[in-house]
Amino acid sequence: MVDTILNTLHNAFSDLSYSDTYTQAQKCTRCPLATTRTKVVFNQGPVPCKLMLIGEAPGADEDIQGIPFVGRAGQLLTKMLEAVEIFRPNDIYITNTLKCRPPNNRTPLQSEIDYCQDFLLKQISEVQPRILILVGSPAMKTILHPDESISKIRGKWFNLTVDYMSESLRVMTIFHPSYLLRNASKEQGSPKWLTWMDLKEIKKTLDTL
Ligand code: URA
């Protein structure tokens, strides 16, 4: 079994409802990103939901609109999800490791990830996904903390023990769409092609649940 923060989903908001936690997030000042953000980007999608996706952090467009994955990378993600018949906002709950935009889209600091982790754990415990998609390295490291790089981990199923169901939670890491924007080839074996294969596998499994 993989040892993970999901083994116990205990978090600072365990005694609050989902909507009270959402309200707390909107006025959060736990870390310095509170002073530079425009909007807190909490989620898009229903609660509960069989399928949940965790990205990295809001970018410029998300910071303005308050919705995750709406910029260029988000549009590519949306198109790829639609290609396997997963439609936003109803079929998938989408969030990020961080709820606020790091200035100039820099990589999230570990301290920011730690401050935000209670929100993420609360979201997972309320959404109760059967499948979790991790998009990019911060999400992968937060949930799976593997020693290996994303190119070794992507496309593999990890089965994690969670306290809201007796079955294991199926977790798969995929490449971040920003990386796919920089690697546009669709040739067999390319990052885009691999991501397409990963999403097809996710959809196939989702349909059995
Ligand atoms: N990249 C992410 O990881 N999340 C977003 O919401 C947008 C871009």
Side-chain angles (χ1 to χ4, degrees), residues 16 44 69 78 88 90 94 133 172 188 194 206:
L16 287 191
Q44 184 193 53
F69 283 106
T78 304
R88 300 175 64 178
N90 291 334
I94 298 181
I133 308 175
M172 188 185 287
Q188 193 165 335
L194 290 170
L206 184 65

Side-chain angles (χ1 to χ4, degrees), residues 13-169:
F13 307 109
S14 289
D15 294 334
L16 287 191
S17 67
Y18 178 85
S19 67
D20 285 347
T21 307
Y22 178 90
T23 306
Q24 292 290 324
Q26 296 306 314
K27 50 187 186 204
C28 179
T29 55
R30 286 179 152 208
C31 87
L33 295 182
T35 61
T36 52
R37 72 175 178 235
T38 310
K39 285 195 175 160
V40 172
V41 182
F42 196 71
N43 81 297
Q44 184 193 53
V47 182
C49 189
K50 274 189 200 171
L51 182 61
M52 177 168 178
L53 180 147
I54 306 174
E56 181 170 323
D61 297 291
E62 292 79 16
D63 179 62
I64 291 167
Q65 295 186 45
I67 303 169
F69 283 106
V70 289
R72 266 185 80 221
Q75 287 162 24
L76 175 60
L77 176 70
T78 304
K79 240 172 67 185
M80 294 185 83
L81 288 170
E82 284 178 356
V84 296
E85 301 196 329
I86 296 172
F87 297 101
R88 300 175 64 178
N90 291 334
D91 296 340
I92 183 165
Y93 181 101
I94 298 181
T95 190
N96 282 302
T97 310
L98 296 190
K99 310 300 181 241
C100 298
R101 181 190 182 204
N104 304 315
N105 301 343
R106 64 155 169 72
T107 304
L109 304 176
Q110 189 56 48
S111 58
E112 293 160 352
I113 293 174
D114 292 344
Y115 282 123
C116 233
Q117 188 165 296
D118 280 311
F119 287 117
L120 188 60
L121 291 177
K122 177 67 177 176
Q123 287 174 299
I124 296 168
S125 68
E126 295 285 333
V127 174
Q128 306 203 334
R130 312 277 301 271
I131 294 179
L132 185 57
I133 308 175
L134 306 176
V135 178
S137 175
M140 176 184 80
K141 287 190 183 139
T142 302
I143 303 296
L144 294 175
H145 38 84
D147 293 331
E148 287 171 301
S149 65
I150 196 158
S151 50
K152 291 256 168 63
I153 296 286
R154 64 128 284 281
K156 291 187 184 151
W157 285 117
F158 287 79
N159 294 317
L160 303 188
T161 303
V162 284
D163 65 1
Y164 58 81
M165 62 178 175
S166 52
E167 237 176 82
S168 307
L169 171 65

